[in-house]
Amino acid sequence: MGGYSISDLWSIVVMQGFSGLSLFSVLLLMALGLAIIFGQMGVINMAHGEFMTIGAYTIYLFSKVTEQYFPALMPYYFVIAIFAAFGIAFAAGYLVEYLLIRHLYKRPLDTLLATWGLSLIMQQIFRTVFGAREVSATLPDWLMGSWKPTPDIDIPLNGLFVMGISVVVTAAVILFLYRSTWGLRVRATTQNRVMAGSVGINTKKIDRVTFAVGCGIAGIAGATFTTIASTGPTSGSLYIVDTFLVVVFGGAGSVVGTVSSAFSIAQAQSILTFFLTNAMGKVVTLLTIIIILMLRPEGLFTSKVRK
Amino acid sequence: MSYEFALTVEDLTVSFDGFKAVDGLNLYVEKNELRVIIGPNGAGKTTVLDLICGKTRATGGSIQFNGIELTKFPEYKIVQAGVGRKFQTPSIYENLSVLENLEISFPRGRSVFGSLMFKRTQDVTDRILEIAETIFLSEQLNVQAGLLSHGQKQWLEIGMLLIQDPELLMLDEPVAGMSVSEREKTAELLNKISQGRSLIVIEHDMEFVKRIAHKVTVLHQGKVLAEGNMDAVQNNPKVIEVYLGH
Amino acid sequence: MNAFYSNWLGGKKGAIELAILAAFIFIVMPLWLDIFRLNLVGKYLTYAFAAVGLVMVWGYGGILSLGQGVFFGLGGYCMAMYLKLEASDPVSTAHQTTPGIPDFMDWNQVTQLPLFWEPFHSLIFTLAAVIMVPLVLAYVISTAMFKRRVGGVYFSIITQAIAAILTILVVGQQGMTGGINGITDLKTLHGWNINTESAKYILYYVNGALLLGVIMLCRFILSSKFGRLLLAMRDKEDRVRFSGYDVANFKIFTFSMGAMISAIGGAMFILQVGFMSPSLIGIVPSIEMVIFAAIGGRVSLVGAVYGTLLVNYGKSAFSESFPSLWLLFMGALFIGVVMFFPNGLAGLYDVYLKGRVESLAGKFKKKNPPAILTPAKTELQNEL
């Protein structure tokens, strides 16, 4: 690292740190959805990335329609579109659970294969509808530009906005899982399905809605994704491996674990990328996670229980 | 020092997230002894067996078997040292035949290459037939194990342990789900196989316990509440309190 | 001889299956197809190695590896490095800035052969490396995971991450690996031109023979006590552990063997196709190999070969006429095989054809010897 002065290094760390925060937000939102689906329900959803893509294309569609027909609403569309991204991904997830997932609850490895097949089909549908080329949503003006606390440091506003969204969603997920009656039922169902059923919980409905909520959150991840990159048919699938690692690394089922693991993975990758090449930064990060997982396979935040 | 005992458990403790399922337990089992462990639900009976056979790792304390410390051993080494364990629900290979179930349990060819080169020689066949006879399954050798009755599955699992000729055999509720006549036969079986080895049996059925036990240990909240012969234990006021108190 | 018949060939039923497969590979295909198409079949048959490995690892071992392409690729890259060095002799590379090194290195301003390429001048070393490199990697990964009881889904995800890492690494280190373009323009194996028609025929037959050899080896393993232990572990892993077996060792052996088999396929791929590229080692090809095995029927060694041929035939037919439908077809295949035909082709055979075939074969049947002397007939042998 020769050649950098202390203050240079500091600026680099802060700026890379903030660009890491954008990655962190997307990873976190993806991982929160997956933590619910995989951590709570034990379903391996390889099509999770495609639900994110659904969210991203939703934003794109909203931006195009608003630009075309209601240009005056441009500053506001994004907020509405986020809710739509959640809603559409939620609906898609609901349907997928009904048609596919519910038949496979007892066969986790088969779910993996079936949802991989689903992801291929969804990618092809995206390609047919939106074309193979990447598209970008027109972002409202207030998301452009940056904030300069010092002359050397340049923090993009969209990064801050995305951060805000992920904080809100994380809080909502914690409330949903640990404070609401619904969350109680979800946890009861995942811990003892038969018992939950016999005390009058409609476990089928719980499964369906839980899966759909997880997909909906992936949709929000897609919405935030549009602020940092353009969207293509395979955008989501690029995140699937990272997302799974985040969830496993954090210890499946622990929200705190998911947040801290998304944070450390995104930051490590972002900062390493600056000093190494893009590819090597990613390789070193992934390799480190795998080695840590080999040493501590249960993830970072899990406790000893009688099996 | 404690060589006269087959099994010496001292100050054994395990805690799950702060909850002590087994708490400073001491247990001494002699050679050729048939010990029964009883106690209310959640007393830690199954956990004690889990700890001895290595399924669960102790937080503290020691387990010595013929003078060998078992707490740091992996499960397969504990088995190879001579400790056999039957699980609460019959744990057999449902897709294999009775014969193959016994054959897999035969203590030879336990390494990867050993298993590749394993041959069913005459002594293996003889031993399988002998054990099948003991566990009343001579007629069912070629039956797929999944098709056996619940009681027969329990016997098969006992047979799979017997074929390894363990010095200590631990049985978790061996007569659960058995008919009256099957219970009779099982009591007879346990008395027979306790010759030349130690047995630890967890059981709820007091009539059955009375028939087989040499000595009874009562567990309560992870600790030994009482120990002695069946009569003494049954008349122990603390035991009565625990069983009838709630 | 009798032991060979029952253990390696899989008894009468197994021997017939093998004979049909051998006739199909060695006689039907070469007579029916021109050398171009036959070479294509040869290429698909190299994927069949990976699928056969997966039958052992996934079908019998219950370990879903999503990194089978990694081992296929490592075997392939080792072979490709040898061929590339042979193709890059100083005379034919005289026009380069640095003659005597592979062309892609020269394009990437590499002026000296990287150290890890040096031993690949030797054919013996290369052949050993084709087996050993994937084997050692598989051993290390599986030991680390299985000794700590990581299994199931976690193992699948980690193998997938390893596939991702290797792809990024190979693509990123263009100067040392050929990057995204891979290693191309391979010509000779120890001076023998692999691009001639006769070489292509020979390699096709060698490949087929190796594949049958591997299937027989797997049959031997499955018919031994090891095979019954794998079934037992899939059913009640704890019981096996508490019968005195170190379960991890059996899984490590199975996984490493699957990796080695896959690597042989990778090496044969290079010889028949003449190039290596990172697109063969990543997440997507790895998971496609799973579908080859699944279509064949998970627990059918022979079925895996047919599954591989069928899916790849479908792939080339589709991508020639309706390229955009291929992904839909593949996706539907994944979902369909899981939801409706979990036992794949072998399962369909059992349901629709087995009865007829057996009644045809019935007249040749001899009486069974007394039960205790025959290896007990259970699921294992029906599955083989």
Side-chain angles (χ1 to χ4, degrees), chain B:
Chain B
M1 38 171 266
S2 52
Y3 277 10
E4 68 265 37
F5 295 113
L7 182 74
T8 309
V9 173
E10 278 174 340
D11 202 23
L12 188 67
T13 302
V14 66
S15 83
F16 302 112
D17 239 355
F19 167 71
K20 286 189 174 170
V22 174
D23 187 4
L25 181 91
N26 295 317
L27 184 71
Y28 307 90
V29 180
E30 285 174 51
K31 286 180 178 154
N32 297 324
E33 183 186 341
L34 198 164
R35 173 74 59 99
V36 178
I37 299 180
I38 60 171
N41 285 329
K45 303 180 297 286
T46 299
T47 309
V48 170
L49 296 201
D50 284 348
L51 286 163
I52 297 172
C53 74
K55 190 166 187 256
T56 304
R57 293 285 150 199
T59 321
S62 99
I63 301 167
Q64 291 205 344
F65 177 65
N66 284 341
I68 309 167
E69 180 63 45
L70 294 184
T71 41
K72 297 279 177 285
F73 268 25
E75 295 91 331
Y76 69 94
K77 282 204 176 147
I78 295 177
V79 175
Q80 290 174 3
V83 178
R85 157 86 188 269
K86 191 192 103 51
F87 294 95
Q88 204 165 340
T89 46
S91 177
I92 53 172
Y93 314 121
E94 311 243 334
N95 291 322
L96 301 180
S97 69
V98 170
L99 176 73
E100 286 171 317
N101 268 281
L102 291 171
E103 186 189 51
I104 280 196
S105 312
F106 188 83
R108 191 193 296 159
R110 276 168 163 170
S111 70
V112 167
F113 292 100
S115 73
L116 286 173
M117 295 306 149
F118 178 84
K119 290 216 165 47
R120 189 184 296 164
T121 47
Q122 193 58 45
D123 59 326
V124 179
T125 310
D126 291 346
R127 180 83 176 131
I128 291 175
L129 291 175
E130 181 198 333
I131 295 293
E133 174 96 47
T134 316
I135 57 169
F136 323 111
L137 291 176
S138 295
E139 302 297 311
Q140 284 83 8
L141 271 178
N142 288 310
V143 175
Q144 195 181 325
L147 303 175
L148 296 175
S149 76
H150 191 79
Q152 288 174 321
K153 287 181 185 172
Q154 301 269 40
W155 288 336
L156 176 57
E157 194 178 358
I158 295 175
M160 289 159 68
L161 298 170
L162 279 181
I163 204 167
Q164 302 172 27
D165 200 15
E167 284 178 63
L168 172 66
L169 192 52
M170 304 190 292
L171 308 175
D172 200 345
E173 302 196 14
V175 292
M178 280 191 180
S179 66
V180 176
S181 71
E182 282 174 330
R183 272 166 203 247
E184 290 282 321
K185 281 171 113 176
T186 307
E188 190 187 304
L189 172 67
L190 294 191
N191 281 325
K192 186 171 159 199
I193 63 180
S194 66
Q195 313 293 319
R197 62 170 61 86
S198 315
L199 250 74
I200 299 178
V201 179
I202 292 180
E203 197 42 74
H204 286 294
D205 178 345
M206 289 306 156
E207 286 307 309
F208 186 76
V209 174
K210 239 179 231 171
R211 283 199 53 183
I212 59 166
H214 300 170
K215 211 171 170 189
V216 177
T217 299
V218 187
L219 285 193
H220 180 53
Q221 293 177 349
K223 292 182 173 136
V224 176
L225 186 72
E227 200 166 83
N229 65 35
M230 189 64 188
D231 286 337
V233 163
Q234 268 187 320
N235 295 321
N236 185 320
K238 281 193 288 180
V239 176
I240 295 170
E241 161 72 24
V242 163
Y243 269 92
L244 302 176
H246 50 213

Side-chain angles (χ1 to χ4, degrees), chain A residues 18-28 228 239 265-266 269-270:
Chain A
F18 266 94
S19 95
L21 282 183
S22 303
L23 178 62
F24 161 59
S25 306
V26 176
L27 265 187
L28 173 61
I228 57 171
Y239 279 87
I265 290 176
Q269 200 163 313
S270 173

Side-chain angles (χ1 to χ4, degrees), chain A residues 27-290:
Chain A
L27 265 187
L28 173 61
L29 289 171
M30 280 286 279
L32 279 177
L34 201 63
I36 293 175
I37 292 174
F38 175 57
Q40 295 293 329
M41 305 172 70
V43 172
I44 302 101
N45 182 18
M46 296 303 275
H48 199 66
E50 277 60 43
F51 287 97
M52 171 184 137
T53 317
I54 287 183
Y57 276 124
T58 306
I59 299 287
Y60 168 73
L61 276 183
F62 265 71
S63 94
K64 285 297 152 212
V65 170
T66 315
E67 209 172 15
Q68 192 85 39
Y69 301 104
F70 316 102
L73 296 177
M74 269 315 272
Y76 313 108
Y77 89 89
F78 200 84
V79 179
I80 303 161
I82 290 177
F83 285 98
F86 177 84
I88 294 175
F90 181 94
Y94 196 89
L95 192 67
V96 165
E97 203 280 345
Y98 180 73
L99 293 177
L100 190 64
I101 308 290
R102 71 187 172 115
H103 304 288
L104 301 169
Y105 279 123
K106 284 180 186 139
R107 295 145 63 191
L109 294 180
D110 282 0
T111 324
L112 193 162
L113 293 180
T115 50
W116 178 267
L118 176 69
S119 81
L120 294 181
I121 292 176
M122 288 170 80
Q123 284 172 26
Q124 186 55 48
I125 294 175
F126 297 145
R127 198 167 286 129
T128 312
V129 176
F130 296 98
R133 295 198 31 209
E134 295 196 341
V135 295
S136 300
T138 314
L139 296 180
D141 291 336
W142 51 268
L143 268 179
M144 307 302 199
S146 58
W147 176 52
K148 291 190 179 199
T150 76
D152 285 341
I153 297 178
D154 208 17
I155 295 163
L157 285 177
N158 59 10
L160 288 174
F161 177 70
V162 167
M163 267 301 295
I165 295 179
S166 41
V167 169
V168 170
V169 174
T170 311
V173 166
I174 291 175
L175 287 178
F176 169 78
L177 271 184
Y178 296 102
R179 289 285 179 274
S180 72
T181 323
W182 187 274
L184 186 64
R185 288 184 184 151
V186 171
R187 285 180 290 139
T189 306
T190 53
Q191 279 164 27
N192 191 334
R193 185 166 298 271
V194 179
M195 197 59 211
S198 60
V199 297
I201 296 174
N202 182 347
T203 56
K204 285 185 179 161
K205 193 174 158 201
I206 292 281
D207 285 336
R208 197 156 306 153
V209 174
T210 312
F211 187 83
V213 167
C215 294
I217 296 173
I220 301 182
T224 61
F225 175 79
T226 56
T227 66
I228 57 171
S230 47
T231 309
T234 57
S235 293
S237 66
L238 300 177
Y239 279 87
I240 191 71
V241 174
D242 299 43
T243 307
F244 264 109
L245 285 182
V246 167
V247 175
V248 174
F249 189 57
S254 149
V255 176
V256 181
T258 306
V259 175
S260 27
S261 118
F263 183 79
S264 39
I265 290 176
Q267 289 304 337
Q269 200 163 313
S270 173
I271 291 173
L272 281 172
T273 299
F274 187 84
F275 293 106
L276 304 163
T277 59
N278 243 333
M280 287 313 284
K282 182 138 193 181
V283 166
V284 172
T285 315
L286 291 182
L287 216 52
T288 315
I289 301 169
I290 290 179

Side-chain angles (χ1 to χ4, degrees), chain C residues 337-348:
Chain C
V337 80
V338 165
M339 300 266 287
F340 307 113
F341 315 105
N343 296 319
L345 290 176
L348 291 179

Side-chain angles (χ1 to χ4, degrees), chain A residues 124-125 127-128, chain C residues 318-319 321-329:
Chain A
Q124 186 55 48
I125 294 175
R127 198 167 286 129
T128 312
Chain C
F318 259 92
S319 42
S321 22
F322 320 97
S324 63
L325 287 183
W326 164 242
L327 271 186
L328 287 183
F329 173 74

